[in-house]
């Protein structure tokens, strides 16, 4: 036999449950615009029924409702897809940014570019070949040569600055990874304590997921969440975060529940002073390929920038070698000015070819002897009769140097000259390198645009599941409010029934 107050107790459970459901709905509405918030769901369940005897048998009589759990509307598969696509998007975004900066250093096509300076340099030689004794034409060759070397120096300086910036960015990202790892580890501790106490800390889980989302922008991330077998009677989980190549044979676990494996913030540097990526015990980290901004910056610093730097250095060396080879065979207007180099590495101004060290974009310099005396610019061949002055009107050397803009024919008659440029001309070599860089930028643009679409799609998919829909919440608000009112009405009805019972047998 049930208690007389069974109906009141049932109504109380209904009031409590609907009120909690209303509060959860209000919490969802309040956080509709909160970044990283996951919609929460009140899971109501029927309480254990009572058993009552009836007609010689026992019947189950429902005893009402109670709040079982409060869960998050979250899908681990969608989360994994979101983080994977985010890592790819950030990789190509970082590559796009870095390659665009490299491309902007060349400033092509424009009047203030290296190709423009090269063209003006060759044109100045061509003009000088038509009037070798003209002092003005000689000064123009000297000025164009200095402009050309200044352009090389400017490119070399910008490349050096870019490399330092990327290296600094890598160090900042290492610090960010350690910071995210520390915060995730602290949240793991707080969440586990709450789960052990039987709580469901959904808001703390949202904070942890947001940190993992941010971490996935820097490196590839995989989350492994398993049940902690230490607590068989409760729902307590262990949370592990793996970064980089998840198939790596090395240990790539950043956070293992309450254990943090930090990255080395001051790793050993290579011969160029560039730092690598390693754990605090100096074990290298396998970051995988094409995932996250850190991987992109490492590729830019270790491959893209050095390749670009080597191409510009090769061009500077090629110009210096070709021009010097022809210039040494010529004779200027000044007596004894034959056999000197036109370009040097800036450390000397003599005419000893064997002592000339390698020229780079940072060191190529107009011979100071020519800079102070333009009459030492060789324009014609040294006379066969052994005199030290060039034949009047002889601009053959200047013309040969001018022809370097379109090919190597002028160098074929020189013995012992080795051409280090693998192109039909210096201009073609430079144009090919510019085109190659342009192709890389276009690839990064195309891949970034594609990943933007994929990230948008998976973000929409995630929002449709985990985001707060005000329409849905308002519907729930009405539903739970009506249920609460109905439960309250039931209390009133039970009160009337009890009053009737209490008034039985009373006569006026």
């Amino acid at each position: 036999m049930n208690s007389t107050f069974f109906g009141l107790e049932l109504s109380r459970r209904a009031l409590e449950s609907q009120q909690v459901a209303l509060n959860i709905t209000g919490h969802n509405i309040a956080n509709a615009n909160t970044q990283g918030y996951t919609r929460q769901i009140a899971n109501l369940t029927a309480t254990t029924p009572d058993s009552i005897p009836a007609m010689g048998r026992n019947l189950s009589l429902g005893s009402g409702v109670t709040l079982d759990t409060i869960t998050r509307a979250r899908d681990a598969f969608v989360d994994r897809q979101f983080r994977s696509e985010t890592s790819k998007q950030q990789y190509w975004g970082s590559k796009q940014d870095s390659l665009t900066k490299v491309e902007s250093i060349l400033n092509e096509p424009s009047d203030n570019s290296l190709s423009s300076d090269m063209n003006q340099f060759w044109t100045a030689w061509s003009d000088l070949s038509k009037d070798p004794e003209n002092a003005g034409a000689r000064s123009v060759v000297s000025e164009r040569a200095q402009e050309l070397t200044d352009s090389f120096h400017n490119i070399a300086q910008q490349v050096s600055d870019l490399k330092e910036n990327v290296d600094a960015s890598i160090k900042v990202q290492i610090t960010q990874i350690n910071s995210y790892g520390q915060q995730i580890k602290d949240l793991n501790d707080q969440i586990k304590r709450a789960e052990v106490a039987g709580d469901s800390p959904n808001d703390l889980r949202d904070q942890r997921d947001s940190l993992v989302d941010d971490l996935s922008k820097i490196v590839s991330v995989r989350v492994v969440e398993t049940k902690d077998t230490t607590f068989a009677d409760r729902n307590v989980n262990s949370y592990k975060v793996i970064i980089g190549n998840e198939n790596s044979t090395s240990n790539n676990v950043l956070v293992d529940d309450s254990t943090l494996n930090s990255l080395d913030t001051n790793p050993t540097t290579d011969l160029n002073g560039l730092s690598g990526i390693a754990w605090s015990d100096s074990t290298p980290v396998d970051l995988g390929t094409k995932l996250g901004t850190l991987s992109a910056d490492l590729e830019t610093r270790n491959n893209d920038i050095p390749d670009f730097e080597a191409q510009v250095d090769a061009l500077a060396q090629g110009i210096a070698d070709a021009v010097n080879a022809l210039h040494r065979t010529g004779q200027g207007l000044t007596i004894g000015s034959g056999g000197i180099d036109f370009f040097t590495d800036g450390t000397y101004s003599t005419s000893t070819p064997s002592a000339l060290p390698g020229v780079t974009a940072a060191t190529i310099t107009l011979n100071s002897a020519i800079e102070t005396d333009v009459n030492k610019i060789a324009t014609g061949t040294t006379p066969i009769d052994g005199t030290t002055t060039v034949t009047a009107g002889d601009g053959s050397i200047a013309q040969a140097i001018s022809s370097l803009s379109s090919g190597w024919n002028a160098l074929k008659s020189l013995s012992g000259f080795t051409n280090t440029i693998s192109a039909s001309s210096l201009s073609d070599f430079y144009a090919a390198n510019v085109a190659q860089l342009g192709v890389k930028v276009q690839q990064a643009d195309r891949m970034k645009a594609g990943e933007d679409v994929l990230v948008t799609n998976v973000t929409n998919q995630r929002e449709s599941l985990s985001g707060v829909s005000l329409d849905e919440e308002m519907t729930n608000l009405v539903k739970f409010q009506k249920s609460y009112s109905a439960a309250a009405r039931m209390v009133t009805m039970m009160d009337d029934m009890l009053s009737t019972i209490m008034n039985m047998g009373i006569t006026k």
Side-chain angles (χ1 to χ4, degrees), residues 1-9 494 497-498 501-502:
M1 178 64 68
N2 288 317
S3 166
T4 304
F5 302 105
F6 175 78
L8 281 176
E9 182 63 21
M494 293 300 298
M497 291 173 61
L498 290 172
I501 294 174
M502 295 296 292

Side-chain angles (χ1 to χ4, degrees), residues 170 173-174 177 218-219 277 287 292-299:
I170 289 171
Q173 290 176 78
I174 291 173
I177 291 174
I218 303 176
V219 291
I277 308 297
L287 293 175
T293 56
L294 183 57
S295 177
D297 284 350
L298 283 170
E299 282 188 20

Side-chain angles (χ1 to χ4, degrees), residues 136-436:
R138 288 178 172 274
S139 296
V140 171
V141 168
S142 175
E143 290 297 324
R144 297 306 185 198
Q146 291 181 64
E147 290 174 1
L148 180 62
T149 56
D150 286 345
S151 290
F152 274 117
H153 297 167
N154 184 46
I155 291 173
Q157 184 61 49
Q158 290 188 68
V159 170
S160 177
D161 292 344
L162 180 60
K163 186 188 294 184
E164 290 180 3
N165 288 337
V166 175
D167 194 48
S169 173
I170 289 171
K171 293 176 181 176
V172 169
Q173 290 176 78
I174 291 173
T175 304
Q176 285 180 328
I177 291 174
N178 285 340
S179 175
Y180 287 143
Q182 182 64 50
Q183 294 177 66
I184 292 171
K185 179 258 178 189
D186 292 342
L187 283 169
N188 279 349
D189 293 339
Q190 295 177 39
I191 291 170
K192 175 155 284 190
R193 283 197 297 270
E195 289 176 341
V196 169
D199 192 6
S200 181
N202 292 321
D203 293 332
L204 292 178
R205 289 176 179 141
D206 281 348
Q207 293 180 32
R208 185 173 62 184
D209 285 335
S210 292
L211 289 171
V212 176
D213 289 346
D214 291 338
L215 183 62
S216 70
K217 297 177 182 176
I218 303 176
V219 291
S220 172
V221 176
R222 184 164 71 93
V223 170
V224 178
E225 189 168 11
T226 56
K227 184 173 177 58
D228 190 340
T229 55
T230 308
F231 305 92
D233 58 335
R234 281 159 286 186
N235 187 23
V236 180
N237 294 328
S238 295
Y239 196 87
K240 182 187 294 185
V241 176
I242 300 171
I243 64 172
N245 184 6
E246 59 187 61
N247 297 319
S248 173
T249 55
S250 60
N251 181 16
N252 276 8
V253 178
L254 177 66
V255 179
D256 188 358
D257 218 9
S258 296
T259 303
L260 170 64
N261 298 318
S262 300
L263 296 178
D264 190 352
T265 56
N266 190 25
T268 305
T269 57
D270 59 18
L271 294 177
N272 298 317
L274 304 176
S275 56
I277 308 297
W279 297 104
S280 54
D281 62 357
S282 301
T283 304
V285 179
D286 184 356
L287 293 175
T289 57
K290 303 185 186 309
L291 294 171
T293 56
L294 183 57
S295 177
D297 284 350
L298 283 170
E299 282 188 20
T300 299
R301 188 197 66 179
N302 298 338
N303 300 324
D304 296 330
I305 293 179
D307 289 347
F308 175 76
E309 196 172 27
Q311 291 168 352
V312 177
D313 285 344
L315 178 63
Q317 183 74 65
I319 292 176
D321 287 346
V323 172
N324 286 345
L326 292 171
H327 197 267
R328 288 176 202 149
T329 64
Q331 174 68 43
L333 297 179
T334 302
I335 296 175
S337 60
I340 66 172
D341 289 317
F342 188 80
F343 288 114
T344 72
D345 68 343
T347 59
Y348 80 109
S349 60
T350 63
S351 59
T352 308
S354 59
L356 180 65
V359 170
T360 66
T363 62
I364 184 171
T365 307
L366 175 64
N367 192 327
S368 60
I370 294 175
E371 186 177 353
T372 55
D373 184 5
V374 294
N375 286 333
K376 292 184 177 179
I377 297 176
T379 54
T381 55
T382 303
I384 300 176
D385 59 5
T387 58
T388 55
T389 57
V390 69
T391 304
D394 184 4
S396 57
I397 295 298
Q399 180 60 41
I401 293 175
S402 172
S403 69
L404 291 173
S405 63
S406 57
W408 312 107
N409 289 334
L411 297 169
K412 289 182 178 177
S413 60
L414 296 180
S415 60
F417 176 77
T418 301
N419 185 9
T420 58
I421 300 298
S422 56
S424 60
S425 69
L426 290 164
S427 298
D428 286 346
F429 177 75
Y430 177 68
N433 290 330
V434 172
Q436 183 182 9

